[in-house]
Amino acid sequence: MPRKAVSSIPIIYIERILKEYTDDDHSLTVSEIKHKLCEVYHCDISIDKIKQLLEELWDFYNGEFSAESDGICNLYPTALMDYERLCPSNNRSKRIARMRGGVLSNAEISYVSDSLRSLPFLRRSASDDLVKRIKGLQSCHQRRERRDLSIVRDQTAKPYVYEVINVLEGLDRAISEHLAISCDYGRYIVEPMTRRPKFSLVENDFAKRKVERMSPYLLVFMDEHYYLVGDWGTDEAISPFRTLRVDLMRNLTISEDGSDFKPLKDEGEVSEYMKGAVSGFGGTSELVRIRCNAFAIHYVIERFSEFDGFRVVRSHAGAEPKDRSYEVEFLAVLQGFKFWAIKQLQNIEVLEPVSLRKEITDIVLNSAYVNR
């Protein structure tokens, strides 16, 4: 049984109906809106009242108020409403209404939802919930037209996703407000008694447990991890900056005393430090030359083609295309590149600098594979 509508509520119902059932390509007549009001909200109002409320909505979205520099309309910068008369037919005409645009375009919604579904540290249930709410910005027609990206993802997502998000939000605030931070910094270990893997904040030879009064400057996403770049009171003769993996940070505290923050002498310092960064290591870039096979050239281009000085120096033809090899050079931070190169030993050979080639050779010769 339709209930009598409270006078201020029907216009909200109509707006929700237009957002759910109309878009650039789909509209509703006044009669169809009346039917939806009864079907969805059990609200029965006259055709004339619906027309009046549609006029008010049109004024709200397209009138003078919608052009103001501040106010609620700025939450919908592209949401405009059409309320127009169809071409007369049989000496009769109908008015139609629809919402055009929205907070995000369809392409933007697809990009955000696909990105959420593929995040490695976010639980599937959490990403599905966020995607569902984001897709609420679309009309029902747009949701039906789009197929979700199918992603097979590791189901052992790290369980502390909310801690990571909280740390990211805290770091973003500290960077923008120029405040120093402190935190615990851990690593993964094997529990001695149970032999189960666990995350530990116990100080050891591989990780300093406590970070005190670090001045944060920049957040970077690199090689599947978020990194914080900041000044941790390190030896400035080497570099004033250090990088920390955000997912290994815990118990973040922000100093409200601005005097603890060490301002940058030059805003370009951090960008320069991270210009040739690899595997989270920033610093001074040096010329690297490698030889890689036909299989590895794809990954070399993908990872390093945007680095300064990148060029293919020469190529060597083989008996077959798969036997072709390439010599490539570019500028990179050697400490980080070393870790990348060790993972690719089967497909690449470091030619220069000679010191890095020797260091990797010694690692290989002293490895368990050679000495056993």
Side-chain angles (χ1 to χ4, degrees), residues 47-94:
I47 291 288
D48 289 338
K49 183 63 175 178
I50 293 173
K51 289 179 179 179
Q52 176 193 335
L53 295 176
L54 285 171
E55 293 283 359
E56 293 176 9
L57 269 178
W58 191 93
D59 287 340
F60 179 78
Y61 279 104
N62 303 303
E64 292 182 5
F65 179 67
S66 66
E68 290 182 2
S69 59
D70 54 13
I72 201 167
C73 276
N74 285 320
L75 297 174
Y76 304 94
T78 61
L80 299 175
M81 180 182 164
D82 280 340
Y83 181 43
E84 57 195 23
R85 192 176 295 278
L86 287 173
C87 294
S89 174
N90 298 326
N91 296 321
R92 300 181 63 187
S93 65
K94 293 182 179 180

Side-chain angles (χ1 to χ4, degrees), residues 43 69 90 105 137 142 173 179 188 199 201 209-210 212 215 225 238 277 283 293 339 356:
C43 175
S69 59
N90 298 326
S105 69
L137 299 172
Q142 293 168 330
R173 178 195 160 217
L179 299 173
Y188 292 101
F199 183 80
L201 294 173
R209 180 180 181 274
K210 194 73 176 176
E212 298 280 3
S215 298
H225 293 291
I238 303 173
N293 59 25
F339 289 103
L356 179 59

Side-chain angles (χ1 to χ4, degrees), residues 56-340:
E56 293 176 9
L57 269 178
W58 191 93
D59 287 340
F60 179 78
Y61 279 104
N62 303 303
E64 292 182 5
F65 179 67
S66 66
E68 290 182 2
S69 59
D70 54 13
I72 201 167
C73 276
N74 285 320
L75 297 174
Y76 304 94
T78 61
L80 299 175
M81 180 182 164
D82 280 340
Y83 181 43
E84 57 195 23
R85 192 176 295 278
L86 287 173
C87 294
S89 174
N90 298 326
N91 296 321
R92 300 181 63 187
S93 65
K94 293 182 179 180
R95 280 194 173 274
I96 62 168
R98 66 184 172 191
M99 286 292 188
R100 295 186 290 111
V103 180
L104 297 173
S105 69
N106 279 332
E108 290 169 330
I109 288 174
S110 296
Y111 175 78
V112 172
S113 61
D114 290 344
S115 298
L116 283 169
R117 290 189 186 280
S118 60
L119 282 175
F121 62 82
L122 191 59
R123 284 185 180 276
R124 175 55 58 87
S125 59
S127 63
D128 286 348
D129 181 59
L130 289 170
V131 168
K132 181 179 179 181
R133 282 186 277 168
I134 289 171
K135 289 169 69 174
L137 299 172
Q138 295 177 301
S139 72
C140 60
H141 309 288
Q142 293 168 330
R143 291 197 296 272
R144 280 197 297 264
E145 290 168 0
R146 182 187 179 276
R147 183 181 66 82
D148 287 334
L149 180 66
S150 298
I151 297 176
V152 178
R153 185 176 59 177
D154 182 8
Q155 295 302 306
T156 59
K158 296 174 182 178
Y160 46 83
V161 54
Y162 295 110
E163 293 184 43
V164 175
I165 292 174
N166 288 336
V167 169
L168 282 170
E169 291 177 345
L171 292 175
D172 184 61
R173 178 195 160 217
I175 291 170
S176 63
E177 297 180 13
H178 296 168
L179 299 173
I181 61 103
S182 297
C183 69
D184 293 324
Y185 195 66
R187 67 190 302 269
Y188 292 101
I189 65 169
V190 174
E191 175 64 42
M193 298 296 293
T194 63
R195 295 192 296 279
R196 292 180 180 274
K198 64 172 289 188
F199 183 80
S200 174
L201 294 173
V202 176
E203 189 167 1
N204 51 56
D205 294 337
F206 301 99
K208 184 177 177 64
R209 180 180 181 274
K210 194 73 176 176
V211 177
E212 298 280 3
R213 292 186 296 279
M214 182 178 192
S215 298
Y217 302 129
L218 184 69
L219 283 169
V220 180
F221 187 74
M222 178 197 319
D223 299 325
E224 304 302 320
H225 293 291
Y226 281 104
Y227 290 91
L228 171 69
V229 187
D231 187 325
W232 188 6
T234 51
D235 185 358
E236 294 198 18
I238 303 173
S239 170
F241 305 120
R242 284 293 180 269
T243 56
L244 297 176
R245 263 177 54 179
V246 172
D247 61 304
L248 301 182
M249 299 171 69
R250 294 291 188 280
N251 306 321
L252 179 73
T253 59
I254 301 174
S255 172
E256 300 300 333
D257 184 356
S259 63
D260 290 337
F261 183 87
K262 185 177 180 180
L264 287 168
K265 298 175 183 176
D266 181 356
E267 291 295 332
E269 283 183 289
V270 180
S271 298
E272 187 67 28
Y273 176 78
M274 297 300 292
K275 183 181 289 186
V278 187
S279 304
F281 289 93
T284 302
S285 297
E286 298 183 39
L287 185 66
V288 172
R289 179 179 289 204
I290 62 173
R291 181 183 293 119
C292 63
N293 59 25
F295 172 80
I297 188 63
H298 164 83
Y299 299 100
V300 172
I301 292 172
E302 182 180 56
R303 182 64 183 85
F304 300 108
S305 60
E306 298 300 316
F307 279 40
D308 287 349
F310 181 90
R311 69 188 184 106
V312 179
V313 180
R314 61 173 61 91
S315 61
H316 305 277
E320 298 182 26
K322 66 181 178 63
D323 298 324
R324 182 180 291 273
S325 65
Y326 304 86
E327 289 187 21
V328 183
E329 67 180 26
F330 48 87
L331 294 170
V333 178
L334 296 187
Q335 188 176 9
F337 178 75
K338 176 182 69 177
F339 289 103
W340 186 91

